[in-house]
Amino acid sequence: MQSTIQCNYAFNIPGIRYLLPDNSAQSPLPETISDELLIRAYQHMRLIRIFDQKAIALQRTGQLGTYPSCQGHEGVNTAIGLAMHPDDVFVPYYRDQATLNLRGVKLSEILRYWGGDERGSNYKNCPQDLPNCVPIATQFCHAAGIASAQKIKGNKQATVVTGGDGSTSKGDFLEALNLAGAWHLPLVLVVINNQWAISTPRKAQCNATTLAQKAIGAGIPGVVVDGDDFTAVYDQVHKALQRAYLGKGPTLIEAITYRLGDHTTADDATRYRAREEVENAWKTESVTRLLNYLKIRELWSEEREQQWRVTCKETVDVEVKDYLNTPPDKPTAMFEHLYETLPRAYLAQYEELAVSTREDL
């Protein structure tokens, strides 16, 4: 005789948004959001957008390597950077310029990294944070390891790790997610769903309705936020961090946004995305949405806007000049940043390169 097993599933993934695409807002905003925070967030988002445009121009003129634009990600990444405590650890992927800068990474350091200079990963102001991760999803395993160490030490710290929607299809992501849940790690996993994993659309990557519901399999909270709404992302990251500090374990946040530019400067997104889709995304993107809300609230004016854009341009110009005037590192530096002790297999290559470039061994 066949028997049945009664299972109870908690399968409710809430979608959260406060600033609406029409520039209005649901009232009241979360208690974690102040007018000062909104202004600071907008200023940083505008700075990073101007920096991003300059970085693309540097690549187009042969002064920077392949570069991944962060247009469309400013709201999510600014929210993460402002919500984190300085003692936390940030484990980024390769489109997190806004968060990196808020953590203390100079814009010139970001340019050095994408210019092929390993000194761009040797952060002066936040040495506990990890460098950019270009391999897909491996950073989630690193983050789980760091969060495990934080728990063992008993410090009131947390780790925040980011990745794109495509990274959630990788085993590294699922393994880290499962471990974080099983060990109740102080880890916040933020999936920045920008709809496209290079040329693969989100719908072709996963049949699940949301990516956040992957949290259910790990037994941890999963939430969906409007990634173009700074307030929603900030509030949810703040709550997830507080949860981690109290020893209540990890949280998975799916922030839905849109990649407004190409995947990288080596990509041509017009070959696989409809023009109308991109045009619609520009109408609701995070920088303009927050700007319009601030103007409605009379917290920002056109005069302040013009003044701030001049300040941003001057700031970026100084950082670019610093990057361009930095003497190149020695060729063997690419070995020296990889290992504490160089493995025997690389030693011959290192010595050959040093001799050919006449470096002192």
Side-chain angles (χ1 to χ4, degrees), residues 181-194:
W183 288 4
H184 305 285
L185 299 181
L187 182 63
V188 180
L189 307 97
V190 183
V191 173
I192 304 175
N193 176 3
N194 68 18

Side-chain angles (χ1 to χ4, degrees), residues 47 50-55 57-58 63 106-108 111-112 308-326:
L47 170 65
I50 291 175
F51 166 76
D52 189 78
Q53 293 167 340
K54 184 65 177 180
L58 288 171
Q63 299 174 93
K106 296 185 65 176
L107 296 177
S108 57
L111 291 174
R112 284 192 192 95
W308 183 246
R309 291 194 185 212
V310 171
T311 300
C312 290
K313 183 178 182 305
E314 292 174 347
T315 301
V316 171
D317 286 347
V318 169
E319 296 292 321
V320 169
K321 186 177 180 180
D322 182 13
Y323 159 67
L324 293 176
N325 289 338
T326 301

Side-chain angles (χ1 to χ4, degrees), residues 21-231:
D22 65 359
N23 304 319
S24 63
Q26 294 181 356
S27 182
L29 292 177
E31 295 180 353
T32 54
I33 306 297
S34 66
D35 291 347
E36 292 75 17
L37 178 68
L38 291 176
I39 293 172
R40 185 184 176 196
Y42 172 72
Q43 289 176 321
H44 186 69
M45 290 159 66
R46 177 60 68 191
L47 170 65
I48 294 302
R49 175 149 300 179
I50 291 175
F51 166 76
D52 189 78
Q53 293 167 340
K54 184 65 177 180
I56 294 172
L58 288 171
Q59 192 280 328
R60 298 303 190 207
T61 54
Q63 299 174 93
L64 194 69
T66 301
Y67 174 77
S69 170
C70 62
Q71 287 189 27
H73 284 221
E74 294 93 341
V76 177
N77 287 111
T78 297
I80 294 171
L82 290 176
M84 290 181 68
H85 189 277
D87 290 339
D88 295 332
V89 176
F90 182 52
V91 183
Y93 81 128
Y94 49 80
R95 214 183 298 277
D96 289 336
Q97 291 89 321
T99 311
L100 289 172
N101 189 233
L102 282 170
R103 296 288 294 164
V105 181
K106 296 185 65 176
L107 296 177
S108 57
E109 290 180 308
I110 296 174
L111 291 174
R112 284 192 192 95
Y113 177 84
W114 295 109
D117 190 331
E118 292 294 343
R119 290 172 293 183
S121 296
N122 188 18
Y123 308 144
K124 303 301 181 187
N125 299 319
C126 49
Q128 80 276 20
D129 289 354
L130 266 60
N132 284 313
C133 183
V134 175
I136 305 302
T138 55
Q139 73 274 23
F140 287 102
C141 295
H142 305 155
I146 295 168
S148 179
Q150 290 170 328
K151 181 175 182 179
I152 291 171
K153 291 180 179 178
N155 299 334
K156 188 180 178 182
Q157 294 175 303
T159 297
V160 178
V161 57
T162 58
D165 39 294
S167 69
T168 65
S169 301
K170 298 283 287 186
D172 304 68
F173 169 80
L174 297 168
E175 292 164 13
L177 184 70
N178 185 71
L179 183 71
W183 288 4
H184 305 285
L185 299 181
L187 182 63
V188 180
L189 307 97
V190 183
V191 173
I192 304 175
N193 176 3
N194 68 18
Q195 314 294 325
W196 290 88
I198 309 183
S199 59
T200 303
R202 155 69 179 86
K203 292 182 179 178
Q205 299 172 47
C206 178
N207 196 43
T209 304
T210 71
L211 299 176
Q213 67 199 62
K214 296 189 178 190
I216 296 171
I220 70 173
V223 296
V224 177
V225 296
D226 182 343
D228 293 333
D229 174 3
F230 163 81
T231 65

Side-chain angles (χ1 to χ4, degrees), residues 41 228 237 257:
D228 293 333
V237 174
T257 183

